[in-house]
Amino acid sequence: MPPGLSTRAIHHGESFAKETGTVMPPIFPSATFRHGNQEGFDYTRSGNPNFRLLESVLSSLENSEFSTVFASGVSAITAIISSLKAGDLVLCEDNLYGCTVRLFEKVFRNFGLRISWVDFTNQNNFNLIKEQTPSIIWLESPTNPLLKILDIKAICEVANSCNVPVVVDNTFATPFVQRPLDLGATLSLTSTTKYINGHSDALGGVVCTNDPEWNQRMIFAQKGLGLHPSPFDCWLITRGVKTLPLRLERQIKNATAIADQLALHPLVNWVRYPFRQDHPQHDIALKQMECGGAIITASIKASQSKTFLMCKNLKYFTMAESLGGVESLVCHPATMTHASVDESTKQRLGINESLVRFSVGCEDLVDLSADLNNALELVQ
Ligand SMILES: *Cc1c(COP(=O)(O)O)cnc(C)c1O
Protein backbone atom coordinates (compact mmCIF):
# COMPACT_ATOMS: atom_id res chain seq x y z
CA MET A 1 0.00 0.00 0.00
CA PRO A 2 1.37 3.49 -0.79
CA PRO A 3 2.05 5.67 2.26
CA GLY A 4 -0.73 8.01 3.44
CA LEU A 5 -0.90 11.75 2.84
CA SER A 6 0.54 12.72 6.25
CA THR A 7 3.48 10.36 5.80
CA ARG A 8 4.15 11.72 2.31
CA ALA A 9 3.94 15.32 3.56
CA ILE A 10 6.68 14.57 6.10
CA HIS A 11 9.00 12.18 4.22
CA HIS A 12 10.14 13.63 0.93
CA GLY A 13 13.23 11.47 0.56
CA GLU A 14 16.11 13.32 -1.07
CA SER A 15 18.04 15.95 0.91
CA PHE A 16 20.90 16.68 -1.56
CA ALA A 17 23.28 16.24 1.39
CA LYS A 18 23.15 12.50 2.02
CA GLU A 19 26.71 12.20 3.30
CA THR A 20 25.87 14.40 6.32
CA GLY A 21 22.92 12.35 7.58
CA THR A 22 20.95 15.57 7.97
CA VAL A 23 17.27 15.11 8.84
CA MET A 24 16.21 18.50 7.52
CA PRO A 25 17.48 19.57 4.08
CA PRO A 26 19.91 22.49 3.96
CA ILE A 27 19.14 25.78 2.21
CA PHE A 28 20.99 26.23 -1.09
CA PRO A 29 21.24 29.99 -1.67
CA SER A 30 23.74 29.54 -4.50
CA ALA A 31 22.76 31.55 -7.59
CA THR A 32 24.72 29.27 -9.87
CA PHE A 33 26.14 25.72 -10.09
CA ARG A 34 29.31 24.22 -11.55
CA HIS A 35 28.79 23.18 -15.17
CA GLY A 36 28.18 19.46 -15.71
CA ASN A 37 27.17 18.59 -12.11
CA GLN A 38 25.54 15.23 -11.44
CA GLU A 39 22.05 16.60 -10.61
CA GLY A 40 21.93 18.87 -13.67
CA PHE A 41 21.62 22.18 -11.79
CA ASP A 42 22.56 25.22 -13.81
CA TYR A 43 21.42 28.63 -12.56
CA THR A 44 18.83 29.16 -9.80
CA ARG A 45 16.31 30.92 -12.06
CA SER A 46 15.92 27.57 -13.84
CA GLY A 47 16.17 25.21 -10.87
CA ASN A 48 17.63 24.72 -7.41
CA PRO A 49 17.75 21.82 -4.92
CA ASN A 50 15.20 23.57 -2.65
CA PHE A 51 12.79 24.02 -5.58
CA ARG A 52 13.16 20.35 -6.44
CA LEU A 53 12.50 19.17 -2.88
CA LEU A 54 9.33 21.21 -2.63
CA GLU A 55 8.23 20.13 -6.11
CA SER A 56 8.66 16.47 -5.23
CA VAL A 57 6.58 16.69 -2.06
CA LEU A 58 3.84 18.71 -3.76
CA SER A 59 3.72 16.27 -6.71
CA SER A 60 3.34 13.45 -4.26
CA LEU A 61 0.43 15.16 -2.44
CA GLU A 62 -1.40 16.19 -5.64
CA ASN A 63 -0.82 12.78 -7.30
CA SER A 64 0.92 14.52 -10.18
CA GLU A 65 3.83 13.47 -12.29
CA PHE A 66 5.26 16.99 -12.54
CA SER A 67 5.20 20.23 -10.58
CA THR A 68 6.89 23.58 -10.96
CA VAL A 69 7.23 26.08 -8.14
CA PHE A 70 6.94 29.84 -8.52
CA ALA A 71 7.47 33.01 -6.50
CA SER A 72 3.78 33.35 -5.60
CA GLY A 73 0.33 32.13 -6.56
CA VAL A 74 0.04 35.06 -8.95
CA SER A 75 3.37 34.02 -10.57
CA ALA A 76 1.92 30.53 -11.08
CA ILE A 77 -1.17 32.07 -12.71
CA THR A 78 1.10 34.23 -14.91
CA ALA A 79 3.08 31.13 -15.93
CA ILE A 80 -0.05 29.42 -17.26
CA ILE A 81 -1.79 32.40 -18.83
CA SER A 82 1.35 33.65 -20.58
CA SER A 83 1.65 30.28 -22.36
CA LEU A 84 -1.37 31.36 -24.45
CA LYS A 85 -1.27 33.71 -27.41
CA ALA A 86 -3.20 36.70 -28.76
CA GLY A 87 -6.68 35.69 -29.92
CA ASP A 88 -6.96 32.70 -27.54
CA LEU A 89 -10.10 32.54 -25.42
CA VAL A 90 -10.00 31.91 -21.66
CA LEU A 91 -13.36 30.71 -20.34
CA CYS A 92 -13.49 31.57 -16.64
CA GLU A 93 -15.75 30.81 -13.73
CA ASP A 94 -17.22 34.22 -12.90
CA ASN A 95 -16.16 34.19 -9.25
CA LEU A 96 -12.37 33.97 -9.21
CA TYR A 97 -9.82 35.40 -6.79
CA GLY A 98 -9.67 39.20 -7.24
CA CYS A 99 -6.03 39.33 -8.36
CA THR A 100 -6.70 36.64 -10.99
CA VAL A 101 -9.51 38.78 -12.40
CA ARG A 102 -7.28 41.86 -12.34
CA LEU A 103 -4.38 40.08 -14.06
CA PHE A 104 -6.64 38.78 -16.85
CA GLU A 105 -8.64 41.97 -17.38
CA LYS A 106 -6.00 44.65 -16.78
CA VAL A 107 -2.91 42.97 -18.21
CA PHE A 108 -3.49 39.99 -20.50
CA ARG A 109 -6.54 41.47 -22.26
CA ASN A 110 -4.15 44.22 -23.45
CA PHE A 111 -2.04 41.54 -25.13
CA GLY A 112 -5.01 40.28 -27.14
CA LEU A 113 -6.30 37.43 -24.96
CA ARG A 114 -10.07 37.10 -24.99
CA ILE A 115 -11.64 36.43 -21.61
CA SER A 116 -15.20 35.41 -20.92
CA TRP A 117 -16.93 34.85 -17.59
CA VAL A 118 -19.63 32.29 -16.84
CA ASP A 119 -21.35 30.78 -13.84
CA PHE A 120 -20.13 27.18 -13.80
CA THR A 121 -22.59 26.15 -11.06
CA ASN A 122 -25.21 26.34 -13.82
CA GLN A 123 -24.92 23.10 -15.80
CA ASN A 124 -26.51 24.70 -18.87
CA ASN A 125 -23.33 26.74 -19.20
CA PHE A 126 -21.28 23.57 -19.79
CA ASN A 127 -22.54 23.84 -23.39
CA LEU A 128 -20.47 26.98 -23.80
CA ILE A 129 -17.36 24.79 -23.76
CA LYS A 130 -18.49 23.12 -27.01
CA GLU A 131 -19.87 26.33 -28.51
CA GLN A 132 -16.98 28.68 -27.77
CA THR A 133 -14.05 26.20 -27.99
CA PRO A 134 -11.86 28.11 -25.53
CA SER A 135 -8.09 27.54 -25.36
CA ILE A 136 -8.33 26.96 -21.62
CA ILE A 137 -10.94 26.83 -18.84
CA TRP A 138 -10.19 28.50 -15.52
CA LEU A 139 -11.92 27.22 -12.39
CA GLU A 140 -11.67 27.68 -8.66
CA SER A 141 -13.53 25.45 -6.19
CA PRO A 142 -14.41 26.44 -3.53
CA THR A 143 -14.41 29.91 -5.06
CA ASN A 144 -13.00 32.98 -3.35
CA PRO A 145 -14.90 34.43 -1.47
CA LEU A 146 -18.37 32.97 -2.14
CA LEU A 147 -17.34 29.31 -1.67
CA LYS A 148 -19.29 28.18 -4.73
CA ILE A 149 -18.56 24.52 -5.44
CA LEU A 150 -18.10 23.60 -9.11
CA ASP A 151 -18.50 20.05 -10.36
CA ILE A 152 -14.88 19.65 -11.46
CA LYS A 153 -15.34 16.12 -12.80
CA ALA A 154 -18.40 16.96 -14.90
CA ILE A 155 -16.79 20.11 -16.34
CA CYS A 156 -13.55 18.24 -17.13
CA GLU A 157 -15.48 15.49 -18.90
CA VAL A 158 -17.03 17.99 -21.30
CA ALA A 159 -13.75 19.89 -21.69
CA ASN A 160 -11.66 16.76 -22.24
CA SER A 161 -14.06 15.58 -24.94
CA CYS A 162 -13.23 18.82 -26.82
CA ASN A 163 -9.49 18.70 -25.94
CA VAL A 164 -9.74 21.85 -23.84
CA PRO A 165 -7.37 21.93 -20.85
CA VAL A 166 -8.87 22.82 -17.45
CA VAL A 167 -7.01 24.69 -14.71
CA VAL A 168 -8.28 24.39 -11.15
CA ASP A 169 -7.05 26.87 -8.56
CA ASN A 170 -6.90 24.49 -5.58
CA THR A 171 -5.68 27.05 -3.03
CA PHE A 172 -8.76 26.92 -0.77
CA ALA A 173 -9.06 23.14 -0.78
CA THR A 174 -5.43 21.93 -0.82
CA PRO A 175 -4.64 18.32 -1.76
CA PHE A 176 -5.73 17.31 1.76
CA VAL A 177 -9.32 18.08 0.75
CA GLN A 178 -9.40 17.61 -3.03
CA ARG A 179 -7.07 16.56 -5.87
CA PRO A 180 -8.14 18.20 -9.16
CA LEU A 181 -5.94 16.03 -11.43
CA ASP A 182 -7.71 12.92 -10.13
CA LEU A 183 -10.98 14.61 -11.13
CA GLY A 184 -9.79 15.15 -14.71
CA ALA A 185 -8.14 18.59 -14.63
CA THR A 186 -5.03 19.18 -16.74
CA LEU A 187 -3.46 21.66 -14.33
CA SER A 188 -3.82 22.13 -10.58
CA LEU A 189 -2.58 25.48 -9.32
CA THR A 190 -2.02 26.46 -5.70
CA SER A 191 -0.87 29.55 -3.87
CA THR A 192 1.46 27.82 -1.40
CA THR A 193 1.47 31.08 0.58
CA LYS A 194 -1.76 29.91 2.20
CA TYR A 195 -2.43 26.44 3.70
CA ILE A 196 0.57 24.65 2.19
CA ASN A 197 3.06 26.83 4.07
CA GLY A 198 0.54 27.55 6.81
CA HIS A 199 2.51 30.07 8.83
CA SER A 200 2.04 33.30 6.84
CA ASP A 201 5.79 33.83 6.54
CA ALA A 202 6.58 33.03 2.88
CA LEU A 203 5.01 33.50 -0.56
CA GLY A 204 4.92 30.79 -3.18
CA GLY A 205 2.94 29.10 -5.92
CA VAL A 206 2.92 25.77 -7.71
CA VAL A 207 1.46 24.22 -10.86
CA CYS A 208 1.03 20.43 -10.92
CA THR A 209 0.25 18.42 -14.06
CA ASN A 210 0.55 14.96 -15.65
CA ASP A 211 0.88 16.46 -19.13
CA PRO A 212 4.53 16.54 -20.35
CA GLU A 213 3.85 19.40 -22.76
CA TRP A 214 2.32 21.60 -20.07
CA ASN A 215 5.21 20.65 -17.80
CA GLN A 216 7.67 21.96 -20.41
CA ARG A 217 5.69 25.21 -20.64
CA MET A 218 5.86 25.62 -16.84
CA ILE A 219 9.62 24.97 -16.74
CA PHE A 220 10.03 27.51 -19.54
CA ALA A 221 7.88 30.09 -17.70
CA GLN A 222 9.85 29.63 -14.47
CA LYS A 223 13.14 30.58 -16.10
CA GLY A 224 12.00 32.50 -19.18
CA LEU A 225 9.74 34.92 -17.32
CA GLY A 226 11.76 35.02 -14.09
CA LEU A 227 8.89 33.65 -12.01
CA HIS A 228 11.11 31.46 -9.81
CA PRO A 229 10.81 31.51 -5.99
CA SER A 230 13.69 32.00 -3.54
CA PRO A 231 15.45 28.90 -2.15
CA PHE A 232 14.79 30.13 1.40
CA ASP A 233 11.04 30.49 0.79
CA CYS A 234 10.97 26.99 -0.71
CA TRP A 235 12.75 25.69 2.36
CA LEU A 236 10.19 27.35 4.65
CA ILE A 237 7.30 25.96 2.60
CA THR A 238 8.87 22.47 2.57
CA ARG A 239 9.01 22.72 6.36
CA GLY A 240 5.48 24.12 6.63
CA VAL A 241 3.83 21.47 4.46
CA LYS A 242 4.89 18.72 6.86
CA THR A 243 2.12 19.75 9.24
CA LEU A 244 -0.54 20.46 6.56
CA PRO A 245 -2.74 17.46 7.49
CA LEU A 246 -2.30 18.08 11.22
CA ARG A 247 -3.16 21.78 10.93
CA LEU A 248 -6.10 21.21 8.65
CA GLU A 249 -7.61 18.55 10.89
CA ARG A 250 -7.80 21.09 13.71
CA GLN A 251 -8.85 23.95 11.43
CA ILE A 252 -11.65 21.93 9.85
CA LYS A 253 -12.94 20.85 13.27
CA ASN A 254 -12.96 24.49 14.41
CA ALA A 255 -14.53 25.72 11.14
CA THR A 256 -17.35 23.15 11.23
CA ALA A 257 -18.34 24.28 14.73
CA ILE A 258 -17.98 27.98 13.94
CA ALA A 259 -20.07 27.71 10.78
CA ASP A 260 -22.88 26.18 12.85
CA GLN A 261 -22.49 28.81 15.54
CA LEU A 262 -22.68 31.66 13.02
CA ALA A 263 -25.69 30.13 11.25
CA LEU A 264 -27.66 30.25 14.52
CA HIS A 265 -26.70 33.83 15.35
CA PRO A 266 -29.50 36.41 14.95
CA LEU A 267 -27.11 38.95 13.40
CA VAL A 268 -26.12 36.60 10.56
CA ASN A 269 -28.18 36.52 7.34
CA TRP A 270 -26.58 33.34 6.03
CA VAL A 271 -23.46 31.21 6.24
CA ARG A 272 -21.65 29.39 3.43
CA TYR A 273 -19.65 26.32 4.35
CA PRO A 274 -19.29 23.49 1.80
CA PHE A 275 -20.14 20.68 4.22
CA ARG A 276 -23.23 22.33 5.71
CA GLN A 277 -26.47 20.93 4.37
CA ASP A 278 -27.76 24.39 3.45
CA HIS A 279 -24.85 24.99 1.03
CA PRO A 280 -26.36 25.31 -2.49
CA GLN A 281 -23.88 22.77 -3.93
CA HIS A 282 -23.65 20.54 -0.87
CA ASP A 283 -24.06 17.33 -2.92
CA ILE A 284 -21.15 18.18 -5.21
CA ALA A 285 -19.03 19.14 -2.19
CA LEU A 286 -19.65 15.72 -0.61
CA LYS A 287 -18.79 14.02 -3.88
CA GLN A 288 -15.49 15.73 -4.66
CA MET A 289 -14.14 16.98 -1.33
CA GLU A 290 -12.98 14.83 1.55
CA CYS A 291 -13.98 17.50 4.07
CA GLY A 292 -15.35 21.04 4.07
CA GLY A 293 -12.12 23.02 4.44
CA ALA A 294 -11.59 25.84 6.91
CA ILE A 295 -12.95 28.94 5.19
CA ILE A 296 -16.39 30.28 6.06
CA THR A 297 -18.19 33.10 4.32
CA ALA A 298 -21.07 34.87 6.03
CA SER A 299 -23.44 37.73 5.41
CA ILE A 300 -23.85 39.97 8.45
CA LYS A 301 -27.08 41.89 9.07
CA ALA A 302 -25.25 45.18 9.26
CA SER A 303 -24.07 48.16 7.22
CA GLN A 304 -20.49 48.34 5.96
CA SER A 305 -19.35 50.41 8.92
CA LYS A 306 -20.91 48.00 11.41
CA THR A 307 -19.54 44.99 9.55
CA PHE A 308 -16.11 46.62 9.73
CA LEU A 309 -16.61 47.29 13.43
CA MET A 310 -17.42 43.61 13.96
CA CYS A 311 -14.21 42.60 12.16
CA LYS A 312 -12.13 45.08 14.18
CA ASN A 313 -13.72 43.95 17.45
CA LEU A 314 -12.39 40.44 16.97
CA LYS A 315 -9.36 39.65 19.11
CA TYR A 316 -8.16 36.33 17.67
CA PHE A 317 -9.29 36.82 14.07
CA THR A 318 -6.93 39.50 12.76
CA MET A 319 -8.53 41.60 10.01
CA ALA A 320 -6.10 40.98 7.14
CA GLU A 321 -5.73 39.72 3.58
CA SER A 322 -4.63 36.11 3.08
CA LEU A 323 -5.80 32.87 4.66
CA GLY A 324 -4.72 29.39 5.59
CA GLY A 325 -2.26 30.16 8.39
CA VAL A 326 -2.40 28.70 11.90
CA GLU A 327 -3.80 32.03 13.08
CA SER A 328 -7.41 32.96 12.38
CA LEU A 329 -8.04 35.85 9.99
CA VAL A 330 -11.11 37.77 8.92
CA CYS A 331 -11.46 39.73 5.72
CA HIS A 332 -13.98 42.07 4.09
CA PRO A 333 -13.70 40.93 0.44
CA ALA A 334 -15.54 43.87 -1.17
CA THR A 335 -12.92 46.36 0.09
CA MET A 336 -9.92 44.06 0.49
CA THR A 337 -9.23 40.94 -1.65
CA HIS A 338 -11.74 41.92 -4.34
CA ALA A 339 -11.33 45.72 -4.18
CA SER A 340 -9.99 45.75 -7.74
CA VAL A 341 -13.07 43.99 -9.20
CA ASP A 342 -15.49 46.50 -10.73
CA GLU A 343 -18.54 47.51 -8.70
CA SER A 344 -21.22 46.08 -10.99
CA THR A 345 -19.51 42.66 -11.11
CA LYS A 346 -19.23 42.63 -7.32
CA GLN A 347 -22.91 43.48 -6.94
CA ARG A 348 -23.93 40.84 -9.49
CA LEU A 349 -21.90 38.17 -7.69
CA GLY A 350 -23.00 39.23 -4.21
CA ILE A 351 -19.64 40.48 -2.94
CA ASN A 352 -21.27 43.26 -0.97
CA GLU A 353 -20.74 45.43 2.10
CA SER A 354 -22.02 42.84 4.60
CA LEU A 355 -19.99 39.91 3.31
CA VAL A 356 -17.16 38.63 5.51
CA ARG A 357 -14.75 35.74 5.03
CA PHE A 358 -13.24 33.87 7.95
CA SER A 359 -10.07 31.80 7.71
CA VAL A 360 -10.36 29.63 10.79
CA GLY A 361 -7.08 28.86 12.51
CA CYS A 362 -5.75 26.32 15.01
CA GLU A 363 -6.60 28.21 18.21
CA ASP A 364 -8.79 26.65 20.92
CA LEU A 365 -12.37 26.51 19.73
CA VAL A 366 -13.78 27.97 22.98
CA ASP A 367 -11.67 31.10 22.52
CA LEU A 368 -12.63 31.59 18.85
CA SER A 369 -16.24 30.97 19.64
CA ALA A 370 -16.36 33.46 22.54
CA ASP A 371 -14.46 36.00 20.45
CA LEU A 372 -17.07 35.86 17.68
CA ASN A 373 -20.02 36.13 20.04
CA ASN A 374 -18.44 39.09 21.73
CA ALA A 375 -17.65 40.92 18.46
CA LEU A 376 -21.18 40.35 17.14
CA GLU A 377 -22.73 41.53 20.40
CA LEU A 378 -20.85 44.82 20.21
CA VAL A 379 -22.48 45.76 16.88
CA GLN A 380 -26.02 44.88 17.91
C1 LIG B 1 -3.98 34.14 -2.52
C2 LIG B 1 -4.54 33.47 -3.68
C3 LIG B 1 -3.87 33.48 -4.92
C4 LIG B 1 -2.60 34.27 -5.15
O1 LIG B 1 -1.54 33.81 -4.41
P1 LIG B 1 -0.31 34.73 -3.94
O2 LIG B 1 0.60 33.73 -3.33
O3 LIG B 1 -0.85 35.74 -2.98
O4 LIG B 1 0.25 35.38 -5.16
C5 LIG B 1 -4.44 32.81 -5.97
N1 LIG B 1 -5.60 32.15 -5.84
C6 LIG B 1 -6.28 32.11 -4.68
C7 LIG B 1 -7.56 31.37 -4.60
C8 LIG B 1 -5.78 32.78 -3.56
O5 LIG B 1 -6.47 32.76 -2.42
Side-chain angles (χ1 to χ4, degrees):
M1 221 169 63
L5 197 91
S6 299
T7 308
R8 284 182 280 138
I10 294 167
H11 293 274
H12 39 69
E14 188 59 83
S15 71
F16 296 104
K18 277 196 202 80
E19 63 283 3
T20 65
T22 185
V23 171
M24 286 299 290
I27 306 169
F28 291 86
S30 189
T32 192
F33 299 85
R34 188 196 301 274
H35 187 267
N37 65 78
Q38 209 178 319
E39 298 284 349
F41 292 111
D42 172 19
Y43 182 60
T44 279
R45 178 150 43 71
S46 57
N48 173 287
N50 294 106
F51 300 6
R52 228 185 259 177
L53 278 165
L54 180 58
E55 286 164 351
S56 79
V57 68
L58 295 177
S59 272
S60 166
L61 299 183
E62 288 267 353
N63 280 343
S64 75
E65 207 165 325
F66 313 107
S67 29
T68 314
V69 290
F70 296 99
S72 64
V74 168
S75 303
I77 298 167
T78 303
I80 298 175
I81 202 76
S82 64
S83 312
L84 305 181
K85 57 183 187 313
D88 283 355
L89 174 69
V90 189
L91 186 60
C92 302
E93 152 59 28
D94 66 8
N95 171 214
L96 294 182
Y97 173 58
C99 298
T100 309
V101 179
R102 182 176 59 191
L103 185 67
F104 291 2
E105 289 291 344
K106 304 262 161 69
V107 180
F108 284 94
R109 201 184 269 286
N110 293 340
F111 287 86
L113 272 194
R114 293 179 299 134
I115 298 129
S116 84
W117 303 91
V118 303
D119 175 7
F120 271 112
T121 57
N122 179 351
Q123 289 209 2
N124 295 329
N125 287 336
F126 295 4
N127 291 330
L128 294 173
I129 301 172
K130 288 195 169 120
E131 284 164 30
Q132 301 190 352
T133 57
S135 298
I136 205 162
I137 295 172
W138 206 286
L139 309 178
E140 218 173 271
S141 185
T143 67
N144 184 355
L146 296 165
L147 305 184
K148 287 164 70 177
I149 304 294
L150 313 182
D151 192 336
I152 298 173
K153 197 168 175 206
I155 297 166
C156 290
E157 269 166 20
V158 181
N160 291 341
S161 75
C162 317
N163 287 320
V164 179
V166 176
V167 185
V168 177
D169 184 331
N170 204 35
T171 302
F172 272 33
T174 82
F176 182 74
V177 174
Q178 143 188 304
R179 286 166 299 280
L181 302 184
D182 292 350
L183 298 167
T186 309
L187 301 154
S188 174
L189 176 156
T190 304
S191 163
T192 54
T193 310
K194 315 290 170 57
Y195 288 104
I196 301 288
N197 181 46
H199 294 78
S200 308
D201 54 8
L203 272 79
V206 67
V207 177
C208 300
T209 185
N210 291 322
D211 183 320
E213 253 174 60
W214 271 106
N215 178 46
Q216 286 308 317
R217 286 181 200 142
M218 293 303 96
I219 292 171
F220 177 81
Q222 188 192 54
K223 68 174 172 198
L225 296 167
L227 300 174
H228 60 285
S230 86
F232 179 56
D233 287 344
C234 288
W235 183 86
L236 279 174
I237 299 167
T238 306
R239 180 177 72 159
V241 74
K242 288 172 189 282
T243 53
L244 173 77
L246 201 59
R247 284 182 275 110
L248 268 168
E249 272 165 28
R250 166 66 79 93
Q251 285 170 297
I252 290 164
K253 212 167 118 222
N254 283 350
T256 305
I258 286 182
D260 292 342
Q261 176 188 342
L262 285 170
L264 291 173
H265 201 283
L267 258 190
V268 174
N269 284 319
W270 50 258
V271 167
R272 282 279 173 285
Y273 181 69
F275 267 35
R276 267 181 65 83
Q277 259 180 6
D278 59 1
H279 188 288
Q281 294 92 34
H282 181 238
D283 291 350
I284 304 169
L286 289 183
K287 203 173 65 174
Q288 75 188 13
M289 299 167 75
E290 281 174 28
C291 33
I295 307 283
I296 302 167
T297 300
S299 165
I300 310 295
K301 278 185 201 149
S303 62
Q304 174 155 320
S305 57
K306 285 212 158 176
T307 305
F308 252 81
L309 187 65
M310 195 269 311
C311 294
K312 298 257 157 115
N313 282 339
L314 287 159
K315 189 159 108 194
Y316 297 122
F317 290 82
T318 305
M319 191 175 181
E321 308 255 354
S322 200
L323 56 108
V326 289
E327 64 291 326
S328 294
L329 298 179
V330 63
C331 140
H332 186 256
T335 58
M336 295 169 70
T337 52
H338 290 66
S340 65
V341 177
D342 68 73
E343 212 46 53
S344 62
T345 308
K346 278 193 284 208
Q347 286 310 321
R348 181 169 54 79
L349 296 175
I351 304 175
N352 57 32
E353 56 177 23
S354 13
L355 195 78
V356 287
R357 187 192 76 191
F358 299 94
S359 169
V360 181
C362 292
E363 298 91 340
D364 288 294
L365 179 58
V366 286
D367 295 325
L368 296 180
S369 180
D371 193 22
L372 273 169
N373 275 342
N374 181 52
L376 281 163
E377 206 166 294
L378 288 172
V379 302
Q380 247 166 348

Coordinates of all heavy atoms in Angstrom, one line a residue, residues 71-75 77 97 99-100 140 144 169 171-172 189 191-194 203-205 322-323 357, ligand 1:
A71 N 7.3 32.0 -7.6 CA 7.5 33.0 -6.5 C 6.2 33.3 -5.7 O 6.3 33.7 -4.5 CB 8.0 34.3 -7.1
S72 N 5.0 33.1 -6.3 CA 3.8 33.3 -5.6 C 2.7 32.7 -6.4 O 2.9 32.1 -7.5 CB 3.5 34.9 -5.6 OG 3.3 35.3 -6.9
G73 N 1.5 32.7 -5.8 CA 0.3 32.1 -6.6 C 0.1 32.9 -7.8 O -0.2 32.3 -8.9
V74 N 0.2 34.2 -7.8 CA 0.0 35.1 -9.0 C 1.1 34.7 -10.0 O 0.8 34.7 -11.2 CB 0.0 36.6 -8.6 CG1 0.1 37.5 -9.8 CG2 -1.3 36.9 -7.8
S75 N 2.3 34.4 -9.6 CA 3.4 34.0 -10.6 C 3.0 32.7 -11.2 O 3.2 32.5 -12.5 CB 4.7 33.8 -9.9 OG 5.1 34.9 -9.2
I77 N -0.1 31.7 -11.8 CA -1.2 32.1 -12.7 C -0.6 32.7 -14.0 O -0.9 32.3 -15.1 CB -2.2 33.1 -12.0 CG1 -2.8 32.4 -10.8 CG2 -3.2 33.6 -13.0 CD1 -3.6 33.3 -9.9
Y97 N -10.6 34.5 -7.7 CA -9.8 35.4 -6.8 C -9.6 36.8 -7.5 O -9.3 36.8 -8.7 CB -8.5 34.7 -6.5 CG -7.5 35.4 -5.8 CD1 -7.7 35.9 -4.5 CD2 -6.2 35.7 -6.3 CE1 -6.8 36.6 -3.8 CE2 -5.2 36.3 -5.6 CZ -5.5 36.8 -4.4 OH -4.6 37.5 -3.7
C99 N -7.3 39.0 -7.6 CA -6.0 39.3 -8.4 C -5.9 38.5 -9.7 O -5.2 38.9 -10.6 CB -4.8 39.1 -7.5 SG -4.7 40.2 -6.1
T100 N -6.6 37.4 -9.7 CA -6.7 36.6 -11.0 C -7.5 37.4 -12.0 O -7.1 37.6 -13.1 CB -7.4 35.2 -10.8 OG1 -6.7 34.6 -9.7 CG2 -7.3 34.4 -12.0
E140 N -12.1 27.6 -10.0 CA -11.7 27.7 -8.7 C -12.8 27.0 -7.9 O -14.0 27.2 -8.2 CB -11.7 29.2 -8.2 CG -10.6 29.6 -7.3 CD -10.6 31.1 -7.2 OE1 -9.9 31.8 -7.9 OE2 -11.2 31.6 -6.2
N144 N -13.4 31.9 -4.3 CA -13.0 33.0 -3.4 C -13.8 34.2 -3.7 O -13.7 34.7 -4.8 CB -11.5 33.2 -3.5 CG -10.9 34.3 -2.6 OD1 -11.7 34.9 -1.8 ND2 -9.6 34.4 -2.6
D169 N -7.8 26.2 -9.7 CA -7.0 26.9 -8.6 C -7.5 26.2 -7.3 O -8.6 26.3 -6.8 CB -7.4 28.4 -8.5 CG -6.6 29.1 -7.5 OD1 -6.2 28.5 -6.5 OD2 -6.3 30.3 -7.7
T171 N -6.2 26.4 -4.2 CA -5.7 27.1 -3.0 C -6.6 26.9 -1.8 O -6.0 26.6 -0.7 CB -5.5 28.6 -3.3 OG1 -4.6 28.7 -4.4 CG2 -4.9 29.3 -2.1
F172 N -7.9 27.0 -1.9 CA -8.8 26.9 -0.8 C -8.9 25.5 -0.3 O -9.1 25.3 0.9 CB -10.2 27.5 -1.1 CG -10.3 28.9 -0.9 CD1 -9.3 29.8 -1.1 CD2 -11.5 29.4 -0.5 CE1 -9.4 31.2 -0.9 CE2 -11.7 30.8 -0.3 CZ -10.7 31.7 -0.5
L189 N -3.4 24.3 -9.7 CA -2.6 25.5 -9.3 C -2.9 25.8 -7.9 O -4.0 25.7 -7.4 CB -3.0 26.7 -10.2 CG -2.4 28.0 -10.0 CD1 -2.5 28.8 -11.3 CD2 -3.0 28.8 -8.9
S191 N -1.7 28.6 -4.5 CA -0.9 29.6 -3.9 C -0.4 28.9 -2.6 O -1.2 28.6 -1.7 CB -1.7 30.8 -3.5 OG -1.0 31.6 -2.5
T192 N 0.9 28.5 -2.6 CA 1.5 27.8 -1.4 C 1.7 28.8 -0.2 O 2.0 28.3 0.9 CB 2.8 27.1 -1.8 OG1 3.7 28.1 -2.3 CG2 2.6 26.0 -2.8
T193 N 1.4 30.1 -0.5 CA 1.5 31.1 0.6 C 0.5 30.7 1.7 O 0.7 31.1 2.8 CB 1.0 32.4 0.0 OG1 1.8 32.7 -1.2 CG2 1.2 33.6 1.0
K194 N -0.6 30.1 1.3 CA -1.8 29.9 2.2 C -1.6 28.6 3.0 O -0.7 28.5 3.8 CB -3.0 29.9 1.4 CG -3.1 31.0 0.3 CD -3.2 32.4 0.9 CE -3.0 33.5 -0.1 NZ -3.9 33.5 -1.3
L203 N 5.9 33.5 0.6 CA 5.0 33.5 -0.6 C 5.5 32.4 -1.5 O 6.7 32.2 -1.7 CB 4.9 34.9 -1.3 CG 3.9 35.8 -0.7 CD1 4.4 36.5 0.6 CD2 3.5 36.9 -1.7
G204 N 4.5 31.8 -2.2 CA 4.9 30.8 -3.2 C 3.7 30.3 -4.0 O 2.6 30.6 -3.6
G205 N 4.0 29.7 -5.1 CA 2.9 29.1 -5.9 C 3.4 27.8 -6.6 O 4.7 27.6 -6.6
S322 N -5.2 37.4 3.0 CA -4.6 36.1 3.1 C -5.5 35.2 3.9 O -6.6 35.6 4.5 CB -3.2 36.2 3.6 OG -2.5 35.0 3.2
L323 N -5.0 33.9 4.0 CA -5.8 32.9 4.7 C -4.9 31.7 4.8 O -3.8 31.6 4.3 CB -7.0 32.5 3.8 CG -6.7 32.1 2.3 CD1 -6.9 30.6 2.1 CD2 -7.5 32.8 1.4
R357 N -15.3 37.1 5.2 CA -14.7 35.7 5.0 C -13.8 35.4 6.2 O -13.0 36.2 6.6 CB -13.9 35.8 3.7 CG -13.4 34.4 3.3 CD -12.4 34.6 2.2 NE -11.1 35.1 2.7 CZ -10.1 35.5 1.9 NH1 -10.2 35.6 0.6 NH2 -9.0 35.9 2.5
Ligands
LIG1 C1 -4.0 34.1 -2.5 C2 -4.5 33.5 -3.7 C3 -3.9 33.5 -4.9 C4 -2.6 34.3 -5.2 O1 -1.5 33.8 -4.4 P1 -0.3 34.7 -3.9 O2 0.6 33.7 -3.3 O3 -0.9 35.7 -3.0 O4 0.2 35.4 -5.2 C5 -4.4 32.8 -6.0 N1 -5.6 32.1 -5.8 C6 -6.3 32.1 -4.7 C7 -7.6 31.4 -4.6 C8 -5.8 32.8 -3.6 O5 -6.5 32.8 -2.4

